[in-house]
Amino acid sequence: MKFFVMYAETCMEDYVVPGEEIFQLERACLNSEFQFLDKSTLTAEISDEGGLYFPDFILCGVIPLVSTEFKRVLENFGADYIFFKPIRLTAAELGRVEEFWLALPPRINCLDWERSTIEVEDNEFLPPVELIREAKKIFIDENQIGRYDIFKLAGVVNQEIIVTERLKNALEVANLENLFFYETGE
């Protein structure tokens, strides 16, 4: 089975950039800590740093935002383990409001530690379990993903969103804007 990293271009000057209100989600998104999230709507004014075009996929640091169409594709695919939170992106000057969704996948223990290349922090004052680990080359143990087709990696600090080839193909058919992939292990 093939796995892919799903990503969005973040330096497109035409695309909107959510304002600072969105960063209250950062802590929860960093480690998929769902206990710090609720399902109430968050309103965020768009920043002057971006444009006025709303693509289907926006990555604001570690915060993944998807359009309603993108959310619909994930739901129709059966990805019922993603945490969705409504996000209202506004451009008050223009009287424009666009509905988006925080789409936070869970972190799961599925990294193939033998085949992956892991960089471990060098810190003699910390016990081994507390050292920061980052996967530089990612290989997934497909026997550990269960029914999940979209997830983040547990046990490392990586922020990549990983998808199966099956989900990648479904997302590509939907022709969503600002959605890109590259194969893991490359």
Side-chain angles (χ1 to χ4, degrees), residues 15-169:
Y15 292 159
V16 296
V17 173
E20 62 185 51
E21 299 91 351
I22 203 77
F23 290 106
Q24 63 187 275
L25 303 173
E26 192 170 43
R27 176 183 179 185
C29 292
L30 189 62
N31 293 311
S32 295
E33 294 176 322
F34 301 111
Q35 70 270 28
F36 297 114
L37 294 169
D38 61 33
K39 300 234 178 188
S40 65
T41 301
L42 173 67
T43 300
E45 183 73 18
I46 62 169
S47 169
D48 293 339
E49 295 174 17
L52 295 174
Y53 190 76
F54 294 82
D56 290 299
F57 187 39
I58 300 170
L59 267 178
C60 190
V62 298
I63 304 166
L65 302 178
V66 300
S67 67
T68 299
E69 179 59 26
F70 195 144
K71 178 180 184 275
R72 189 174 304 123
V73 172
L74 292 171
E75 289 174 331
N76 288 341
F77 195 80
D80 58 353
Y81 41 83
I82 296 175
F83 184 91
F84 289 112
K85 177 182 178 67
I87 308 293
R88 185 173 292 128
L89 297 179
T90 64
E93 293 176 6
L94 304 173
R96 189 157 175 202
V97 176
E98 293 287 331
E99 300 297 327
F100 270 76
W101 299 85
L102 168 67
L104 188 60
R107 284 187 177 267
I108 62 172
N109 287 308
C110 63
L111 192 62
D112 184 332
W113 292 90
E114 305 256 328
R115 294 176 54 214
S116 298
T117 303
I118 311 295
E119 189 174 280
V120 181
E121 171 187 33
D122 185 21
N123 186 331
E124 63 185 74
F125 301 107
L126 290 176
V129 306
E130 291 182 24
L131 294 175
I132 294 173
R133 290 171 175 73
E134 182 178 3
K136 294 296 188 177
K137 194 167 194 178
I138 298 170
F139 286 94
I140 304 299
D141 180 350
E142 64 185 82
N143 295 317
Q144 299 301 316
I145 66 163
R147 66 183 186 93
Y148 285 13
D149 285 285
I150 182 171
F151 51 86
K152 286 184 166 188
L153 301 170
V156 290
V157 296
N158 296 58
Q159 293 302 316
E160 290 92 340
I161 297 172
I162 311 291
V163 297
T164 61
E165 186 173 23
R166 230 169 47 98
L167 179 54
K168 173 191 165 284
N169 293 340

